[in-house]
Amino acid sequence: MMNFWGSEWMDSSNSTEILDRRRLSEAWYKKTIIEMFTEYNIDDKIEFIKSDKIEALLVFHVEKLWKGFSKKWSSSFHTDNCKHTECSKAIIIDGHMKGTRSVCAARGVQYVESKELGTVEMGCWKMPCKGSMYCQDHKNLQMQDHKAPVAKEYDNEEDSTDCKTLKEKGPLIKCKTAGICASVYNCGIINGMKELYGCESLTQVYMFLVWLAKELLHFPNLLAYDDACHLKKFIINPLRAIKSQYSQFLAALRIVVDKMHFANHVDKWCRRNVNPYTDEQFKNINTEACEQTFQFVAKYKYSIQLNICHMENIICSC
């Protein structure tokens, strides 16, 4: 049997202490997070990381990390080095249901305040305890009905088309995330990503777009999405569109269905208002940039999403 240097630490037969694999995991997490802090000019310092504190640590810092990521890849760092002839002319967003994770089954336990949508009810997004449907904070709760987080709607206009593409009417993924919603420039550079809960609801997609409008240094006026008909009606709702400067900005965007999914949109309103083939500004735009990016990201669905997105951007910009 071949012996490797240091292998005695993994052998309990000689009465030595075994090197716990969790220490290696903790060291890797700490190294990765420190590298990301350095990459995005975040001054926070990381002390010793324990296995049972990793989730809390990531939750505490993840917003800063994503902001740093989005600002970097929407800045001149990207545009000055991109070789794509139509660099950053449009944003394509899409949901990706691979790489879901288990979440606490508690619902209606926290709320997100949105100037554009009001108070949005959310479930708990922490990991459940081993052998339980609930996290440590909610382990005493009884099993509840599962429903996707939704905003208070002003009307049902978003559902007034014949297209069967409204995603929040699909089956909910109970006690799991619904994957992620990604934002990608048409040249293939990822500029933002958010985890989805319950389903790919209009509320969550809209809140993600508002977040992008706040954080991106460059947000072009062209947007493609596979369910653009429902999203556009949601965005241009007269009562919602005047809520803030960001809702006004989104309402002014040119929004179309991506070319691959447009065949599924049969309603006359869709054909008239979100047709990528009749809008000259989308003539040379790669509206499938998200789908192409997901082919790469899906290979690493159990890794840190932000790190993988950074890797994909480096590859695309070469």
Side-chain angles (χ1 to χ4, degrees):
M1 179 178 178
M2 183 179 295
N3 290 321
F4 296 95
W5 181 83
S7 60
E8 63 273 9
W9 288 99
M10 306 301 292
D11 182 11
S12 60
S13 62
N14 56 9
S15 300
T16 59
E17 183 179 355
I18 298 177
L19 176 62
D20 195 319
R21 61 179 176 79
R22 287 174 294 184
R23 303 292 84 79
L24 296 175
S25 175
E26 291 160 3
W28 182 84
Y29 266 108
K30 183 171 183 177
K31 171 181 176 293
T32 302
I33 293 172
I34 290 174
E35 287 176 345
M36 288 192 290
F37 278 11
T38 302
E39 181 76 28
Y40 304 127
N41 299 315
I42 299 173
D43 295 330
D44 295 18
K45 294 183 178 180
I46 301 295
E47 301 299 331
F48 180 74
I49 300 176
K50 295 183 179 180
S51 293
D52 59 348
K53 302 296 183 183
I54 288 177
E55 182 183 26
L57 177 74
L58 293 175
V59 168
F60 182 78
H61 291 291
V62 71
E63 185 68 14
K64 295 179 184 177
L65 290 169
W66 274 120
K67 285 183 178 181
F69 176 91
S70 293
K71 289 189 184 303
K72 175 175 181 175
W73 290 103
S74 63
S75 70
S76 58
F77 175 84
H78 160 219
T79 55
D80 289 351
N81 295 286
C82 185
K83 298 179 176 61
H84 199 284
T85 56
E86 300 289 335
C87 173
S88 306
K89 292 290 183 66
I91 280 180
I92 293 84
I93 60 171
D94 196 8
H96 185 56
M97 296 186 69
K98 300 290 178 64
T100 61
R101 65 179 179 90
S102 297
V103 290
C104 175
R107 295 293 179 264
V109 293
Q110 57 187 356
Y111 300 88
V112 176
E113 293 297 329
S114 167
K115 190 173 182 179
E116 296 78 19
L117 299 175
T119 302
V120 180
E121 181 182 303
M122 300 288 289
C124 178
W125 47 61
K126 292 184 178 180
M127 295 282 284
C129 298
K130 186 176 181 180
S132 172
M133 298 286 285
Y134 298 91
C135 68
Q136 186 68 28
D137 295 340
H138 304 111
K139 61 182 180 181
N140 295 324
L141 295 179
Q142 297 295 318
M143 189 65 178
Q144 304 172 22
D145 293 332
H146 301 279
K147 59 181 180 180
V150 295
K152 295 178 180 178
E153 303 296 347
Y154 295 101
D155 53 45
N156 294 320
E157 185 182 356
E158 293 84 19
D159 196 27
S160 61
T161 72
D162 293 329
C163 300
K164 308 301 181 183
T165 56
L166 188 59
K167 299 182 182 182
E168 58 193 64
K169 287 198 169 185
L172 302 184
I173 304 176
K174 297 183 178 181
C175 303
K176 282 184 175 291
T177 62
I180 52 94
C181 187
S183 172
V184 179
Y185 287 125
N186 59 295
C187 50
I189 294 295
I190 304 167
N191 56 55
M193 189 175 289
K194 286 290 183 181
E195 202 165 31
L196 296 170
Y197 302 93
C199 67
E200 191 179 332
S201 64
L202 289 176
T203 301
Q204 294 184 87
V205 174
Y206 182 81
M207 291 175 69
F208 178 44
L209 285 172
V210 170
W211 186 90
L212 290 172
K214 293 177 181 178
E215 302 301 334
L216 293 185
L217 299 180
H218 173 59
F219 196 130
N221 71 330
L222 304 181
L223 176 69
Y225 179 52
D226 58 1
D227 189 22
C229 56
H230 292 106
L231 179 63
K232 185 169 183 175
K233 287 189 174 186
F234 190 92
I235 289 175
I236 64 175
N237 180 301
L239 295 177
R240 187 175 298 120
I242 61 173
K243 288 289 185 178
S244 72
Q245 67 182 91
Y246 303 109
S247 62
Q248 293 175 33
F249 170 78
L250 295 177
L253 295 176
R254 298 177 74 94
I255 305 174
V256 301
V257 178
D258 68 276
K259 295 171 184 175
M260 185 176 75
H261 291 97
F262 185 66
N264 298 328
H265 291 257
V266 297
D267 191 87
K268 292 181 180 179
W269 189 93
C270 300
R271 293 281 167 174
R272 187 170 59 251
N273 293 280
V274 290
N275 190 337
Y277 296 104
T278 58
D279 192 324
E280 283 296 316
Q281 294 196 46
F282 284 90
K283 183 177 180 180
N284 298 316
I285 297 297
N286 176 21
T287 61
E288 316 319 318
C290 251
E291 298 286 351
Q292 294 159 2
T293 299
F294 289 155
Q295 291 181 2
F296 178 89
V297 175
K299 299 175 184 177
Y300 307 93
K301 62 183 180 180
Y302 297 117
S303 303
I304 293 181
Q305 293 172 344
L306 189 142
N307 235 19
I308 301 307
C309 292
H310 181 81
M311 185 195 308
E312 165 71 352
N313 284 350
I314 293 295
I315 293 172
C316 284
S317 60
C318 292

